[in-house]
Amino acid sequence: MKYKESEEMYLETILLLKRKNTQFRSIDVAKELNYSRASVSRAINLLKEKEYITINNGIIDLTEHGMNKAIEIYERHEVITKVLIKIGVPMSSAEENACRIEHV
């Protein structure tokens, strides 16, 4: 379970970085998540092995398979956040809790 959560977190972060800036590297993922470069490097290699991403000259890009998976994860996050807000959870708590709930 822990690995699936981590994998999904990376895919979601890569999707969000892609939406902000079309070109980014693993160091940008590390900064965004506040993780060590070594941890991100390992995770990026695992995502590449699963063919979720490609890396060309250090630039990360989602494959079609990776994009579909990342969008699915992010949409789940958005739905959970909206539900939590609708039942009265403050926005900041809703975002944080949605992030935890979405991977279950």
Side-chain angles (χ1 to χ4, degrees):
M1 176 59 188
K2 186 68 172 168
Y3 177 74
K4 179 181 181 269
E5 179 180 345
S6 178
E7 178 180 284
E8 289 182 354
M9 214 39 204
Y10 279 101
L11 286 171
E12 185 176 16
T13 299
I14 289 168
L15 175 67
L16 295 174
L17 283 171
K18 184 164 181 58
R19 288 181 175 176
K20 285 184 201 175
N21 180 7
T22 57
Q23 292 190 342
F24 59 92
R25 300 172 184 274
S26 60
I27 185 70
D28 301 308
V29 176
K31 286 178 184 175
E32 187 73 20
L33 291 171
N34 198 27
Y35 290 174
S36 73
R37 288 175 29 176
S39 294
V40 171
S41 178
R42 173 156 168 64
I44 292 295
N45 285 328
L46 291 172
L47 292 174
K48 186 177 175 186
E49 285 176 17
K50 287 188 161 192
E51 298 182 356
Y52 285 128
I53 63 169
T54 58
I55 304 172
N56 294 311
N57 295 325
I59 305 297
I60 298 170
D61 201 6
L62 288 162
T63 62
E64 184 177 347
H65 174 61
M67 179 66 84
N68 292 336
K69 182 71 173 173
I71 288 171
E72 175 188 311
I73 294 161
Y74 186 67
E75 285 175 349
R76 188 171 59 214
H77 177 99
E78 286 184 315
V79 167
I80 294 167
T81 300
K82 287 176 186 175
V83 168
L84 291 173
I85 290 169
K86 189 159 184 110
I87 64 171
V89 176
M91 177 64 148
S92 60
S93 294
E95 280 285 330
E96 184 179 322
N97 288 311
C99 199
R100 291 183 185 144
I101 294 168
E102 73 182 288
H103 304 295
V104 177

